[in-house]
Amino acid sequence: MKPVSFYLVTDTHYFENELGAEGKAFEEYFSREQYFMKESSDILKTTFSRIAEDKETDIVIIPGDLTKNGELESHKSFIKELYALKEKGKKIYVITAGHDYGDDSFAFKNDVRISVEGADFKKLHEMYKDFGYGDALAFDEPTHSYVAQICDGVRMLAICCDSENQPKGAMDERHLLWAEEQIKKAKEDGCSMFAICHYPIIPSVPVFDLVGDTKVKEWRKIASFLADNGVELILTGHMHIQSINEFYSEKGNRLIDVCTSCLTGSPAKYRKITVDENSVLKVTSIDVEDFGCDTNGLSVQEYFDKQFERAILGKIFHALGKGKGFVKFLKNLGVKFIKSATVGTLSRLLFIKVDKNLKKKKLTELISDIGMCIFAGDQPYVEGTPEYEAVYKFLKRFSFVIKKIEPKLGKNGVKINLEEMLLNTIGNNKGFSDANAEFKLK
Ligand SMILES: [Fe+2]
Ligand SMILES: [Fe+2]
């Protein structure tokens, strides 16, 4: 691949505060939200000013979920920030995604949730004409995918599979044919090509293979299509997770998927990506810096993490709060148990031996720890750690259930080893980091 260097910022989920983010309904909503809403403007401004200071690269790429939930006013304010960065000498390329249009945009005023005007999908490419769409070499009208010449000898295939005309996260045959033509054209013109897509192509962690909407539909087919056509690198978002994954097609071709965190929520990172003259790809992760808000004495990272932890538990307890009659009664018991128990209590109930330090840990703490470590990348709970041993024994205790559900989970003849998937989800065994990594490209 030919040399190129750029910043990758994703899932900015920008919200225009004038719309309203206050009151009881907002507080209730925010207790289950991973990323910040009111602070998004300050986070973006701080990040863009850091990027503007770097004279080594003049390219910034943002693969979707630009706004909180498609509010037209959020788009207008976000676009102003893009123009301000452009004035400082940066070329910016965006694609839009599911949170950038539609009729489900909302804000919070006077203790209630209110509907606000959402952006029209058909108008998005016009609104963002100065950020990739306007000077695209090719534009696919139905999906808003496009091709950009981002520097001499390097093209970017911007794949949008969040259009209003097709199922979210899907690439149909027509779309694939269009993409194939663009890749072929780039080769004929002597250009290297990488791709971006809002949806991860490769599941970010093994267990996401079993969870819908966490990656493109028919991901093995799409990953093989890209790899076999000579696209070795794709940059993605959507899952708000730090992950880097490799996939090899049956023909032995590789695709590397660099999926990056949400900018406005834990783990709150963005990346600088370079490919040098020897085709060495270098991925570096950067923390969102102090964005000037009152963090109650916490570091910025701790402040982000605290909200994420609150959101994980908020989501679990909210889900358990639903139901009627006896089901509700059982769920309430479950909530009470999770809130009060330690890992030691649970291990005694299941006749499992766990590390003595882990015994004292509250169950809620272990749940949020594991949840956060999955999304932060470089998951630390590998074999030999007390957390790995506890989860391993827990899974063994329930192996009779796991063996029953495994055959139902495998699709298209793919055999599932759920235990292995879960253990590789809490401990990174890939041999390279999800944060900072180097690969020799073709
Ligand atoms: Fe997102
Ligand atoms: Fe998304």
Side-chain angles (χ1 to χ4, degrees):
M1 179 142 160
K2 291 182 181 159
V4 64
S5 166
F6 52 84
Y7 277 96
L8 179 74
V9 179
T10 189
D11 292 74
T12 45
H13 286 290
Y14 188 96
F15 182 74
E16 170 48 61
N17 284 336
E18 293 279 307
L19 292 168
E22 65 194 344
K24 278 187 195 154
F26 170 71
E27 293 305 332
E28 155 74 5
Y29 174 83
F30 189 55
S31 69
R32 300 193 295 275
E33 190 56 278
Q34 174 215 353
Y35 52 90
F36 288 103
M37 199 164 150
K38 281 193 283 198
E39 294 84 350
S40 60
S41 155
D42 291 336
I43 295 170
L44 190 83
K45 279 191 172 82
T46 303
T47 305
F48 277 6
S49 59
R50 288 296 154 276
I51 289 175
E53 284 165 11
D54 185 347
K55 304 298 173 211
E56 270 177 27
T57 174
D58 60 354
I59 302 167
V60 181
I61 296 169
I62 315 178
D65 277 0
L66 311 174
T67 60
K68 171 76 188 86
N69 216 25
E71 317 81 32
L72 189 58
E73 292 307 314
S74 299
H75 277 294
K76 286 181 187 168
S77 305
F78 181 73
I79 287 168
K80 277 186 199 157
E81 299 295 341
L82 295 184
Y83 277 115
L85 184 60
K86 188 175 156 77
E87 291 225 325
K88 288 176 184 154
K90 303 297 180 196
K91 291 187 280 181
I92 306 161
Y93 299 90
V94 307
I95 48 170
T96 59
H99 279 265
D100 291 321
Y101 66 91
D103 51 13
D104 189 30
S105 303
F106 53 85
F108 299 91
K109 266 191 178 155
N110 302 326
D111 294 335
V112 291
R113 176 172 156 151
I114 54 166
S115 288
V116 298
E117 187 180 359
D120 178 354
F121 175 76
K122 290 182 196 71
K123 292 182 182 157
L124 287 172
H125 68 284
E126 182 55 31
M127 288 163 66
Y128 286 93
K129 64 180 188 315
D130 291 326
F131 305 105
Y133 295 98
D135 50 8
L137 298 175
F139 177 63
D140 183 49
E141 182 87 44
T143 61
H144 288 191
S145 297
Y146 69 93
V147 176
Q149 185 80 43
I150 72 163
C151 64
D152 270 355
V154 181
R155 284 187 192 170
M156 179 176 82
L157 176 66
I159 300 168
C160 180
C161 50
D162 280 90
S163 64
E164 62 179 3
N165 310 308
Q166 58 181 157
K168 293 263 190 305
M171 277 188 91
D172 62 16
E173 291 307 316
R174 189 209 58 77
H175 196 184
L176 286 172
L177 267 176
W178 177 84
E180 195 176 352
E181 256 172 51
Q182 306 315 318
I183 301 167
K184 204 169 133 202
K185 181 89 177 52
K187 271 183 215 155
E188 284 166 8
D189 295 346
C191 290
S192 304
M193 191 174 236
F194 68 92
I196 63 169
C197 180
H198 180 63
Y199 272 79
I201 306 298
I202 307 169
S204 306
V205 286
V207 80
F208 283 179
D209 198 358
L210 306 175
V211 186
D213 205 50
T214 58
K215 70 279 173 194
V216 286
K217 294 191 171 21
E218 300 182 276
W219 74 265
R220 287 181 182 82
K221 175 180 154 185
I222 307 295
S224 301
F225 163 82
L226 291 166
D228 292 342
N229 278 290
V231 174
E232 202 179 3
L233 172 67
I234 189 153
L235 312 160
T236 63
H238 181 60
M239 284 313 295
H240 300 187
I241 191 171
Q242 285 284 98
S243 74
I244 301 178
N245 286 290
E246 285 180 309
F247 168 83
Y248 284 89
S249 72
E250 280 179 15
K251 291 181 187 163
N253 297 310
R254 177 173 67 168
L255 179 73
I256 299 168
D257 184 341
V258 179
C259 184
T260 299
S261 136
C262 171
L263 185 75
T264 46
S266 173
K269 314 266 186 218
Y270 55 106
R271 313 236 205 206
K272 186 171 178 179
I273 293 182
T274 55
V275 178
D276 67 15
E277 47 294 333
N278 299 314
S279 293
V280 174
L281 164 72
K282 191 172 173 200
V283 181
T284 310
S285 290
I286 305 158
D287 289 338
V288 167
E289 284 182 23
D290 183 351
F291 52 93
C293 96
D294 179 9
T295 58
N296 285 325
L298 299 173
S299 71
V300 175
Q301 212 54 46
E302 284 167 345
Y303 189 61
F304 276 116
D305 290 350
K306 197 176 167 206
Q307 177 57 25
F308 195 14
E309 189 182 331
R310 183 177 171 224
I312 292 174
L313 296 172
K315 275 188 172 62
I316 293 173
F317 295 138
H318 182 70
L320 287 172
K322 290 176 183 168
K324 279 182 190 163
F326 190 60
V327 173
K328 190 170 176 114
F329 172 75
L330 281 180
K331 283 185 170 180
N332 281 342
L333 275 183
V335 170
K336 269 190 189 160
F337 178 77
I338 295 172
K339 279 185 177 170
S340 60
T342 60
V343 178
T345 324
L346 181 66
S347 65
R348 274 195 303 279
L349 279 172
L350 297 172
F351 301 102
I352 290 172
K353 251 192 153 187
V354 297
D355 181 89
K356 68 174 187 313
N357 290 323
L358 197 58
K359 269 186 192 168
K360 294 177 212 150
K361 204 168 188 166
K362 288 191 78 178
L363 206 48
T364 47
E365 239 180 278
L366 181 67
I367 293 168
S368 55
D369 260 16
I370 290 180
M372 295 226 322
C373 91
I374 290 173
F375 284 84
D378 288 340
Q379 297 81 2
Y381 302 135
V382 290
E383 200 170 345
T385 59
E387 287 81 359
Y388 174 99
E389 300 305 327
V391 174
Y392 175 78
K393 286 175 186 168
F394 180 84
L395 293 173
K396 282 284 171 229
R397 180 63 71 234
F398 288 98
S399 61
F400 65 100
V401 183
I402 289 174
K403 289 283 163 276
K404 276 212 165 130
I405 56 174
E406 272 174 348
K408 290 175 192 148
L409 295 172
K411 283 177 195 157
N412 306 324
V414 178
K415 266 198 160 185
I416 299 293
N417 183 334
L418 192 55
E419 184 185 300
E420 199 178 285
M421 266 182 166
L422 289 165
L423 292 170
N424 283 327
T425 294
I426 63 165
N428 176 355
N429 291 312
K430 292 179 289 197
F432 52 83
S433 163
D434 289 306
N436 305 306
E438 280 191 23
F439 298 87
K440 175 88 171 89
L441 300 178
K442 275 184 205 155

